[in-house]
Every structure is written in structure tokens, then in C-alpha cells.
Amino acid sequence: MPLIKLVGGTLGKATTFFALFIVIVGVVLKCFDDPEPEHLGRMTSDMKTLEENFRQNNKSCFVLGASGETGKVLLQELQQRNIFSKITLIGRRQLNFEGKAFENLVQEVVDFEKLEDYAAAFQGHDVGYCCLGTTRAKAGTQGFIRVDHDYVLKSAELAKAGGCTQFHLESSRGADKSSNFLYLKVKGQVEADIQALDFDRYSVYRPGVLLVDRQESRPGEWLARQFFSAVSAVVSTSMSIPIQTVAKAMVSNTVLQPQHKFEILENKAISTLGKSDTK
Ligand SMILES: NC(=O)c1ccc[n+]([C@@H]2O[C@H](COP(=O)([O-])OP(=O)(O)OC[C@H]3O[C@@H](n4cnc5c(N)ncnc54)[C@H](OP(=O)(O)O)[C@@H]3O)[C@@H](O)[C@H]2O)c1
């Protein structure tokens, strides 16, 4: 048999096997999916009116992590929906924006190692969004804890002291302060520590793998993303989510009036909210 035919046949079988594998994994994951949060679908039915009512109150917000993948899209969403009279970006470096849409943005450049010295940057905001985070590969174990726990908690404390009443934290699926995995433990710990600050409203978002074309090289995350992109093309599961959906959900949720002052939105709930009609 010619070599080309043999290779072609083997590749064809491998592709069929892989496609079958993806379908089976998708169906299995679907069985373990989070339950459908029906109440969110109902609550979002009149998003336009809710947004209009919220807009009338001339509220201001700040965003931590606006230079990151979710933060960038969150900022675009906030600008498009125009529900705040002022948006402040708090970060470690000045960002360059061009165009009229960015004229009303305020930027505060802070040293996260000396956040106490920048308390003024956190004063006078009604709502805070946090999409800050790093990885152990990038910052080492202590660096990761410093950013994902210490910086986030200190920012929330300063915001609360400065009059902020709503805090929205992008955490992670599986966050659990008792976990044996450092990543999930740190995420769970910071969630709990911020809860103790007792904001009038505190929402935690726990997305699965973020589906995004990241510029930065993160091989482990890239592999997970390829895998979950393939699975989600077959069947939508709670294991992954596009960043646009997360950003949309964070903004939509801001204008809703939840029953409880503290809420955790798992991947499925984020997905439902993020797909609500905002046009
Ligand atoms: N990747 C995933 O699949 C996944 C899944 C679930 C949850 N999450 C969580 O979702 C959140 C957002 O993720 P993402 O991928 O959108 O974030 P990202 O693209 O990695 O952006 C992170 C943001 O944090 C800032 N930051 C990082 N290290 C910092 C430091 N030492 N000092 C000050 N600022 C620092 C970055 O600022 P610079 O631009 O200046 O570096 C950037 O604005 C993170 O908390 C992450 O853990 C991620």
C-alpha cells in the first residue's frame, strides 16, 4: 500500500476517533452540569428598563484589571451599555486609549505593594469590579497569593472604606478555601475574606475555563481552551465560557435587584445572564 494512503487512512481514523471522544466527553460533562438557573432568565426579561433606571442614578464605578483579557472586554461592555456616569480604571500602569469613547475614563495608577498610600483612588465609587489575577507560573507561589488574595482584598477594603456599596469579583469555578489546590484555595479564601467586609451587595462570579485568544503564552491554559472549545462546539457545558459572556453577565447583574446581598454565580448562571437580551 502506498505510504501516502496509509498515512491518510491512519489520520482519518484518528480524526474520527478524536471527534467521537469529544462528543462522548461533552455528553458526560453535560450530565454533571450545574442546574439551569431559571429565575435569572425571568429577571433579565426587561434589561433595557432596568438599565435605564440604573443610569438615572448617576453612579460611578471602578475596574481593577482593565488591561487583562476579561477586564478589557468588561470595559468595552460598560462603555457600550453606558450605565455609569464615571468609570475609573485602577491599575499598575497607564493604559493608552484612542477615540471619543474613552474621553470620560479616569485612570489611577497605583503601587499595589503600597495600596494604603493610594486610598484616595478608591474613594467615592458606588460599584467595584475586580478582574485582577496572575498565575503561579508567572509570579511564583508567593506572588500569586500576593496578587490574587492580598491585592484584591486590600482593594476591596479601601473601596468599602471609600463608600463603595457593590463589589463584583471574578473568581473561578471550584474556588474553595478548604481546597488542597493552591489556586482554588486562594480564590476561595479571597471570596470569603471579602464577604466578611459586608458590602451592601457582593457578587462572586465563578467562570470555568475562559475562552479567549490570549496574546500571552500559557501552554496549560491553551490546551484546556482547545479541548473545551471543541467540546462546547458539540454541547454547551459548565466547564468553559467566552470572556464576552462573563463581561456581559457582570454588567447585566449590576442592574438587577437580587434577593440576597451576597450571591455566587456559577458558570451556568453567568452563561444565562451573559446571554440575556441587552439590545
Ligand atoms: N484563565 C482562565 O481560564 C480563568 C478561569 C476562571 C477564572 N479566572 C480568573 O479570572 C480573572 C481574570 O482573568 P484574565 O485571564 O481575564 O486575567 P489576565 O488577562 O491575566 O489579566 C490580569 C489583570 O491583572 C493585572 N495584574 C496581574 N499581575 C499584577 C500585579 N502583580 N500587579 C498589579 N496588577 C496585576 C494585570 O495587569 P497588567 O496588564 O499590568 O499585567 C491585568 O490587568 C483572574 O482572577 C483569573 O484567575 C481565569
Side-chain angles (χ1 to χ4, degrees), residues 97-134:
F97 298 108
E98 279 171 21
K100 263 192 164 305
F102 298 101
E103 277 173 5
N104 294 333
L105 277 187
V106 177
Q107 289 199 55
E108 296 281 0
V109 177
V110 302
D111 179 351
F112 281 88
E113 283 298 317
K114 298 178 191 155
L115 270 184
E116 284 290 358
D117 297 350
Y118 296 87
F122 291 87
Q123 256 161 31
H125 311 289
D126 299 294
V127 179
Y129 296 96
C130 180
C131 304
L132 205 74
T134 188

Side-chain angles (χ1 to χ4, degrees), residues 144-195:
F144 166 67
I145 298 171
R146 196 98 189 100
V147 175
D148 284 59
H149 180 274
D150 302 354
Y151 291 179
V152 172
L153 177 60
K154 190 74 207 164
S155 299
E157 283 171 357
L158 291 172
K160 178 88 200 312
C164 179
T165 54
Q166 267 199 43
F167 198 78
H168 297 258
L169 174 70
E170 183 181 18
S171 179
S172 170
R173 181 181 173 87
D176 176 2
K177 64 180 180 177
S178 313
S179 174
N180 291 325
F181 296 99
L182 179 81
Y183 179 79
L184 300 178
K185 187 182 174 68
V186 169
K187 293 292 190 191
Q189 191 61 56
V190 75
E191 282 183 3
D193 291 345
I194 294 178
Q195 191 182 354

Side-chain angles (χ1 to χ4, degrees), residues 212-276:
V212 51
D213 268 334
R214 196 179 291 279
Q215 307 284 314
E216 182 193 333
S217 158
R218 290 186 188 173
E221 190 189 300
W222 182 87
L223 259 182
R225 212 166 46 237
Q226 300 308 312
F227 175 74
F228 285 114
S229 295
V231 172
S232 64
V234 181
V235 56
S236 78
T237 76
S238 292
M239 306 298 279
S240 64
I241 191 160
I243 48 165
Q244 289 78 5
T245 309
V246 179
K248 222 170 162 192
M250 289 174 88
V251 181
S252 291
N253 194 33
T254 306
V255 304
L256 297 179
Q257 282 129 16
Q259 288 172 318
H260 307 287
K261 58 193 285 184
F262 169 57
E263 60 181 348
I264 294 177
L265 287 95
E266 297 291 350
N267 198 82
K268 189 82 174 210
I270 300 172
S271 194
T272 304
L273 257 180
K275 287 179 189 149
S276 59

Side-chain angles (χ1 to χ4, degrees), residues 29-75:
L29 290 178
K30 190 82 186 162
C31 295
F32 293 97
D33 232 2
D34 300 335
E36 187 73 50
E38 274 178 47
H39 68 289
L40 282 178
R42 286 200 301 275
M43 280 159 77
T44 56
S45 60
D46 197 9
M47 190 57 76
K48 276 283 138 205
T49 312
L50 291 166
E51 279 186 12
E52 191 47 47
N53 294 343
F54 190 92
R55 195 173 291 121
Q56 308 261 319
N57 293 316
N58 278 326
K59 289 186 189 284
S60 64
C61 74
F62 71 88
V63 181
L64 290 157
S67 56
E69 298 294 348
T70 317
K72 265 188 264 182
V73 183
L74 174 67
L75 176 59

